[in-house]
Amino acid sequence: MKKALLLSLIFSAVPASSAQVLDGYWHYKEFLSINPVENELTNLLSETVRNKPVSVSVVQEKPVTISVVYPGQQISDYWVRNIKAFERRMEELGIKYQLNQVFTRPNVDMRQQSLSLMEAIKNNTGYLIFTLDTTRHRKFIEHVLNSSQTKLILQNITTPVQGWEGRQPMMYVGFDHELGAHQIAEYYKQHIPEQSKYSVLYFSEGYISDARGNSFIQVMDESNSYKLSSSFYTKTTEQSGYEATLNIVEKDPDIKFIYACSTDVALGAAKALKELNRQDIEINGWGGGSAELDAIAKGDLNLTIMRMNDDTGIAMAEAIKWDIEKKPVPLVYSGDLELVTRDDSQESIEKLKQRAFRYSDN
């Protein structure tokens, strides 16, 4: 891997084959297609998430303990909304619980993450909700899987690690990054002329950049109709997206669009394009949270893939309920995704917001 220093260099990021996009992981649809029992459980959970809550059927002797360590210090409101939806659903289900949560910056506050995670394990927390993006995350997760009774729920990842067969976490839950990237790619292929050049603004180096960024490049490369001009890892901040975009346009003013892998980076890129008076260059968001929808309404972003945000918080609550009831829990769950563009009516976007934020807006 090339060192991920912002603006240090421009490099080709086109994967040679689909296997290299997420090497070592089961793709979401692939995993479900070869595991019919898991597919059935996932479909059942999806149906449960969309329906009204049904109270837990067992009497708890004591509250379950839950620790949450999230990269929630960013413009994207996904993580904050996720926990709000989770807690509201837990309360509606009648589950007694104690929650300890820590929000950190994405892939930056590693020491704080480590301390919080080790404290959770030391205190024998019943459930630990964490994420998997970097090698350090993976090493800690493997430690928990091998040496702790704590049940792991991995957020923002829906592709099981192949090397963990026989000792998987309790569940992977999120909005499948590849599926979202493919939907955005199809939009660009329909709206941008063939033979156009484009650039990619990655997240920081890690799983999310691979799943969102490399899978997008792969789809665009399949037709040999679009040219990847440049790609940058960022520091996952608005400022790094802004700086990278200034550099991208200076080096190649003829690009037609920039594919951004996260909210903060996309908003920084949009700011730069506005400053350069280059709003002819299209830019997407990723996630469809409040900040992105506001930017679309103002014309600063052209489109986003919108997560039906509260689905995953509800899914985690329902999974814990099933676990308490000694029912099988699906290994993977992906919430619904919808493409939103600035050509969509305000009425249709409002309907999506009511669906996506049905718990976290109340």
Side-chain angles (χ1 to χ4, degrees):
M1 293 292 290
K2 296 180 179 177
K3 198 171 182 181
L5 293 177
L6 176 66
L7 306 183
S8 60
L9 50 88
I10 301 176
F11 60 92
S12 173
V14 181
S17 69
S18 61
Q20 291 180 347
V21 172
L22 283 179
D23 192 24
Y25 296 86
W26 292 110
H27 298 265
Y28 181 70
K29 287 188 173 181
E30 174 191 28
F31 176 79
L32 292 178
S33 69
I34 62 178
N35 291 281
V37 174
E38 288 290 341
N39 187 50
E40 185 176 340
L41 285 171
T42 296
N43 288 336
L44 182 59
L45 182 57
S46 297
E47 183 180 341
T48 302
V49 167
R50 298 185 186 109
N51 290 337
K52 293 182 179 180
V54 177
S55 297
V56 63
S57 62
V58 300
V59 178
Q60 293 176 252
E61 295 182 3
K62 58 182 180 180
V64 295
T65 54
I66 305 165
S67 294
V68 177
V69 182
Y70 271 176
Q73 293 182 11
Q74 48 186 304
I75 297 173
S76 170
D77 55 358
Y78 171 72
W79 301 98
V80 175
R81 287 184 178 277
N82 177 265
I83 286 298
K84 188 173 182 180
F86 171 71
E87 289 203 79
R88 286 202 59 198
R89 188 71 163 201
M90 291 284 283
E91 290 161 5
E92 289 183 346
L93 294 172
I95 298 174
K96 299 175 184 177
Y97 70 97
Q98 295 174 349
L99 178 69
N100 177 53
Q101 66 185 57
V102 176
F103 281 163
T104 64
R105 290 176 294 167
N107 299 343
V108 176
D109 297 337
M110 300 302 293
R111 184 174 182 275
Q112 178 60 54
Q113 284 186 6
S114 297
L115 289 173
S116 300
L117 292 165
M118 294 310 297
E119 182 180 359
I121 299 306
K122 181 181 177 181
N123 294 335
N124 296 316
T125 188
Y127 301 91
L128 174 59
I129 306 174
F130 188 44
T131 190
L132 170 57
D133 188 31
T134 68
T135 301
R136 290 183 68 177
H137 291 162
R138 180 162 177 160
K139 287 180 179 178
F140 176 81
I141 291 165
E142 289 175 346
H143 169 73
V144 176
L145 293 175
N146 289 326
S147 62
S148 173
Q149 296 302 310
T150 294
K151 296 179 179 180
L152 269 172
I153 297 176
L154 294 183
Q155 244 284 10
N156 207 28
I157 174 171
T158 59
T159 52
V161 176
Q162 293 176 349
W164 292 348
E165 292 301 322
R167 55 191 178 102
Q168 292 284 1
M170 173 175 152
M171 185 168 69
Y172 299 82
V173 57
F175 295 87
D176 190 72
H177 304 295
E178 287 185 295
L179 297 180
H182 291 178
Q183 286 181 255
I184 296 175
E186 290 306 316
Y187 169 90
Y188 280 128
K189 287 165 74 173
Q190 292 174 20
H191 290 82
I192 302 295
E194 291 188 356
Q195 307 307 317
S196 295
K197 294 187 287 185
Y198 71 98
S199 183
V200 170
L201 286 177
Y202 285 104
F203 203 68
S204 58
E205 189 172 9
Y207 169 84
I208 292 176
S209 284
D210 290 343
R212 292 182 182 178
N214 289 349
S215 59
F216 176 85
I217 292 169
Q218 181 193 42
V219 173
M220 299 304 292
D221 191 51
E222 284 172 352
S223 62
N224 293 316
S225 299
Y226 297 87
K227 180 182 178 182
L228 176 63
S229 173
S230 61
S231 54
F232 288 94
Y233 285 117
T234 71
K235 297 178 181 177
T236 74
T237 62
E238 184 176 12
Q239 182 64 23
S240 65
Y242 170 82
E243 293 172 1
T245 301
L246 294 178
N247 191 288
I248 286 167
V249 177
E250 179 184 0
K251 290 183 179 295
D252 192 347
D254 295 329
I255 63 167
K256 296 299 183 183
F257 69 92
I258 297 173
Y259 173 74
C261 288
S262 75
T263 295
D264 297 51
V265 172
L267 295 178
K271 179 181 177 183
L273 292 176
K274 197 170 187 178
E275 191 173 286
L276 294 169
N277 196 28
R278 288 301 311 271
Q279 290 177 290
D280 58 302
I281 298 173
E282 295 204 14
I283 177 75
N284 63 277
W286 224 110
S290 300
E292 287 188 6
L293 296 178
D294 289 344
I296 285 177
K298 291 188 293 185
D300 294 338
L301 293 178
N302 296 81
L303 71 147
T304 189
I305 191 69
M306 184 177 178
R307 298 175 284 213
M308 296 298 99
N309 195 100
D310 295 355
D311 282 1
T312 50
I314 297 167
M316 292 190 306
E318 292 288 350
I320 289 175
K321 175 196 166 187
W322 289 8
D323 191 53
I324 292 171
E325 295 174 334
K326 307 298 183 185
K327 295 177 180 178
V329 175
L331 184 62
V332 297
Y333 169 84
S334 178
D336 294 334
L337 292 158
E338 298 286 346
L339 192 74
V340 175
T341 77
R342 62 185 182 187
D343 294 328
D344 292 339
S345 69
Q346 192 57 40
E347 180 183 3
S348 66
I349 294 176
E350 282 300 321
K351 287 182 179 178
L352 287 175
K353 287 169 68 174
Q354 290 171 15
R355 178 178 157 199
F357 309 139
R358 58 194 185 277
Y359 276 78
S360 59
D361 255 357
N362 299 315

